[in-house]
Amino acid sequence: MQLLMMLYLLAVCSIIPLYMKQGYYGLGEAKGICYLALSLCFFALFFTCFLISRRKTYSVKLGTGPVSVMQLCLFATILSGAVSFIFSVDKKTAFWGIEGWRCGFLSLFLMVFFGLILSNISTLPVWGICLMLLVPGLEFSLGIMNRFGIYTVFSGAANSGYLATIGNINWYAGFLSVFLPLGIGIMYAQRPFSKLFFINGIYVILGVAALFLQGSDGALLIIISSYILLLLYSLFSSDFELVRKWLIQLFVLGAGMSFAQVMLTLFGEMYTYEDNLLVGILNMNTGIIIMAAAFFLYNLVKLLDEIKVSFKGRLLGKAAAFAVIMLILTGIYIAAGNFGDEFGNGRGLIWRMCTDVFLGFSPWEKMVGVGQDCLYPYAMKSPSMSEVFTGAFGGDMLTNAHCELLTVLIERGFIGACTYLGLFISTLYDVLWAKERENAAIACALPIFSYFVYSQISFSQVTATPYVYILIGIYLAFSRKNLGQLRDRN
């Protein structure tokens, strides 16, 4: 079973990102079908192993010890998905997912299933982690090359609206929201300046450069959420060593930004996307400033540790958490004051339309939703609503709310939204308030939290969401001590 789990991890982290049936044409549909086919094959293999194990008088258990809140939320997610499917407005779409997305109940079931299976894993070798990150590292490199007009056999014909073999900019940013924080977390968990530490450093620098060059302003949320969570985790530890580790990660962030700035300086004329917020940040020499600040603070913290200064990390952590909450509330207030249909590159219009759809639901529909991927089929059943939905986007389908929480609210109702929030909030609470610091667990928690934050201006997609459920499963394995440290022993 352990070998089968490892094979599934390697397959889904390698095949799905790279798979392109007809280049960029129909890429979302191709990847969605590929995920379903691959996952169903492994589901059949796991089920067969389960039946064989039963005949040998021992069983495969979904973890040991008391059931955690996260596990309850996973089971509740399946239940809410099943209920919304039963009462869905379009059974075929709700089960298989809408064409081009394939985020139906079957996909949701498979994601949660493999999350629960991987919570059972007891062996996660370092070489396995390196192989899992190999293809994402390639995708970072391809994204950087594409932004400077270099297209390889992997990425196909030139198209500035698409990046690497992932898809459009939103899909690429969603992919980054999982695999860049994962690399940051794994590097954080390593012994500083070990061999694996430097290998992960290269990966993170490429990921940061890819993020700042790809063009989506919203991707800045990935950086902000990852480094804030890592800072809070380090402060709550009351350990100078973990604070120094965070400062090392901050230095690497600056190095990645500086690398992207050098690329723009040398090859700016080849840059294939218009100026944007992230490029503007690079042009202010922010990378160099961050590196200098991190270097100074690292040495200051090291000095304070050497002279045995008392470190009230939890108090600082609570103060930092309060400051973050105040900043978030301030940001929401400012955004609300500037909110309109053009807000967030048209997301304001989408959010308003989807909110109107939800408010028009019956009480039962508000409770259980209308089915996975069924926003568009539901809208098309109403003549007045269908005219608005098609007219607003030139005939293009609006298949989701471009805010995952709002999408879940529409598709699975209040019940689904509660399970969704419960899953991510319980992860955040667990990692910050754990009595023991498990650095390997934070490597999984970072991408889970980063994905949650970024998905509030984005959507569920096959190049991001399945990996989050995988990481939730691995996080559960770490938190139950099924797994040891993700650390280079050399």
Side-chain angles (χ1 to χ4, degrees):
M1 288 290 287
Q2 299 295 327
L3 177 60
L4 195 57
M5 290 178 188
M6 199 68 229
L7 286 174
Y8 177 74
L9 281 176
L10 296 179
V12 80
C13 290
S14 303
I15 296 173
I16 304 300
L18 288 174
Y19 182 70
M20 300 176 78
K21 185 178 180 180
Q22 296 178 315
Y24 290 131
Y25 177 77
L27 187 56
E29 174 72 0
K31 288 185 182 294
I33 296 297
C34 180
Y35 171 74
L36 288 174
L38 183 66
S39 296
L40 284 171
C41 287
F42 275 92
F43 175 81
L45 289 173
F46 277 112
F47 189 70
T48 302
C49 289
F50 173 78
L51 293 178
I52 293 172
S53 69
R54 295 285 293 181
R55 293 186 64 179
K56 291 181 178 180
T57 69
Y58 67 89
S59 62
V60 179
K61 298 179 181 179
L62 289 175
T64 57
V67 177
S68 68
V69 174
M70 291 175 67
Q71 285 176 301
L72 287 175
C73 288
L74 285 173
F75 286 114
T77 297
I78 289 291
L79 180 61
S80 71
V83 172
S84 71
F85 167 68
I86 292 170
F87 295 98
S88 61
V89 297
D90 185 328
K91 294 291 189 297
K92 182 179 178 181
T93 299
F95 184 78
W96 293 104
I98 200 164
E99 184 178 351
W101 295 91
R102 300 301 174 187
C103 291
F105 174 69
L106 179 58
S107 295
L108 179 68
F109 171 80
L110 290 170
M111 291 176 198
V112 176
F113 170 81
F114 285 109
L116 289 168
I117 286 292
L118 287 162
S119 68
N120 231 6
I121 197 169
S122 60
T123 303
L124 194 58
V126 171
W127 62 264
I129 293 293
C130 292
L131 288 176
M132 285 172 57
L133 297 183
L134 189 61
V135 169
L138 174 64
E139 296 292 350
F140 297 164
S141 301
L142 289 174
I144 294 170
M145 293 168 65
N146 292 169
R147 271 292 162 256
F148 291 98
I150 302 171
Y151 292 84
T152 67
V153 66
F154 290 103
S155 51
N159 188 328
S160 62
Y162 293 81
L163 284 168
T165 61
I166 301 300
N168 66 31
I169 295 171
N170 291 323
W171 282 56
Y172 191 74
F175 182 80
L176 285 168
S177 75
V178 176
F179 284 102
L180 174 55
L182 179 59
I184 294 168
I186 292 174
M187 186 181 179
Y188 178 87
Q190 304 308 313
R191 180 167 52 84
F193 313 115
S194 64
K195 181 168 61 177
L196 197 56
F197 172 89
F198 284 112
I199 293 173
N200 273 281
I202 296 171
Y203 174 92
V204 173
I205 287 172
L206 286 173
V208 170
L211 184 144
F212 275 87
L213 292 171
Q214 47 80 38
S216 170
D217 293 345
L220 185 60
L221 290 173
I222 300 168
I223 293 293
I224 294 172
S225 59
S226 297
Y227 284 90
I228 285 179
L229 178 58
L230 200 58
L231 172 62
L232 294 176
Y233 175 85
S234 302
L235 289 175
F236 274 97
S237 70
S238 295
D239 187 345
F240 274 124
E241 181 186 355
L242 294 188
V243 175
R244 290 201 300 271
K245 281 189 168 188
W246 180 79
L247 290 168
I248 291 173
Q249 294 309 308
L250 197 64
F251 185 89
V252 175
L253 167 64
M257 294 173 67
S258 297
F259 172 65
Q261 184 182 7
V262 169
M263 294 287 289
L264 284 172
T265 301
L266 295 177
F267 310 108
E269 293 182 357
M270 298 170 61
Y271 188 63
T272 60
Y273 208 69
E274 66 265 17
D275 287 341
N276 52 77
L277 173 64
L278 298 180
V279 170
I281 292 173
L282 292 178
N283 288 335
M284 292 188 293
N285 299 312
T286 311
I288 294 293
I289 295 170
I290 290 175
M291 290 173 70
F295 181 78
F296 170 77
L297 291 172
Y298 178 89
N299 285 284
L300 177 61
V301 170
K302 186 176 181 181
L303 175 63
L304 293 175
D305 191 16
E306 289 174 350
I307 62 177
K308 307 300 182 184
V309 172
S310 177
F311 179 45
K312 300 185 182 299
R314 282 195 170 267
L315 180 61
L316 288 173
K318 290 177 182 178
F322 178 77
V324 169
I325 292 171
M326 290 297 101
L327 286 172
I328 291 171
L329 292 176
T330 302
I332 292 173
Y333 177 78
I334 293 172
N338 295 289
F339 188 81
D341 285 355
E342 297 303 318
F343 179 84
N345 196 25
R347 281 175 172 78
L349 173 61
I350 295 172
W351 294 344
R352 179 176 60 79
M353 290 171 58
C354 291
T355 301
D356 290 342
V357 169
F358 180 76
L359 293 176
F361 283 177
S362 67
W364 179 250
E365 287 173 334
K366 287 179 180 177
M367 187 62 63
V368 302
V370 296
Q372 290 284 132
D373 263 4
C374 284
L375 169 62
Y376 186 75
Y378 179 87
M380 291 302 103
K381 289 182 180 295
S382 168
S384 59
M385 198 179 296
S386 63
E387 184 178 349
V388 172
F389 263 64
T390 54
F393 305 101
D396 291 338
M397 291 193 301
L398 177 62
T399 58
N400 62 77
H402 283 61
C403 167
E404 193 172 38
L405 177 59
L406 181 55
T407 301
V408 170
L409 199 59
I410 291 168
E411 295 178 348
R412 289 191 270 135
F414 281 121
I415 296 175
C418 288
T419 64
Y420 172 84
L421 288 173
L423 187 60
F424 289 101
I425 291 173
S426 62
T427 305
L428 179 63
Y429 178 86
D430 190 62
V431 75
L432 288 180
W433 293 98
K435 292 181 179 179
E436 297 180 24
R437 300 285 96 178
E438 180 62 74
N439 293 345
I442 189 64
C444 297
L446 275 187
I448 294 169
F449 182 65
S450 169
Y451 169 85
F452 170 74
V453 172
Y454 178 71
S455 67
Q456 301 320 303
I457 60 165
S458 188
F459 38 76
S460 177
Q461 60 195 65
V462 73
T463 53
T465 313
Y467 305 111
V468 172
Y469 283 96
I470 285 171
L471 289 167
I472 287 172
I474 297 175
Y475 177 86
L476 284 168
F478 278 126
S479 62
R480 291 204 310 271
K481 306 300 182 185
N482 283 4
L483 281 169
Q485 291 282 349
L486 278 177
R487 186 172 293 171
D488 186 1
R489 301 295 183 183
N490 298 321

